[in-house]
Amino acid sequence: MRVTRKISRDANPAVLGTSLVAGLGLILAVTALAVGVIWGSTQFTGLLLAAGVLLFILGLVGWFGLAQPYKHFDDINVPAPDEHHHDDHHDDHAIEPAPDTYVETSHH
């Protein structure tokens, strides 16, 4: 099974591409802030920060447009399907239910 099918319901490579663009924008923005702290305020730092923020926003908007995560909610009240592919022979290994009464033993 491909990794993209494990982590996403949509195996469209454009979804991965837009998320990589957003990640690159975030890395550029953080690098610009680090360079700005080390070298001081420069025009290069401002341009790198603006490019990083722009790439992040473009990647984020593109990812939301393609993946549409707001349409795919995971309901925690519905149990996930069992991924084990066993036959219905579960009675052989049934766990005994706990007794209804609790007997306390005291030690002297």
Side-chain angles (χ1 to χ4, degrees), residues 15-80:
V15 173
L16 178 64
T18 55
S19 61
L20 289 175
V21 168
L24 177 65
L26 187 64
I27 289 171
L28 283 177
V30 170
T31 303
L33 292 175
V35 167
V37 167
I38 293 171
W39 288 347
S41 180
T42 64
Q43 188 175 6
F44 174 72
T45 304
L47 290 174
L48 192 62
L49 180 64
V53 169
L54 181 67
L55 280 176
F56 177 72
I57 291 172
L58 286 175
L60 189 65
V61 168
W63 179 79
F64 264 98
L66 290 172
Q68 299 178 352
Y70 50 86
K71 290 185 178 179
H72 308 286
F73 289 110
D74 189 20
D75 188 5
I76 63 171
N77 295 322
V78 177

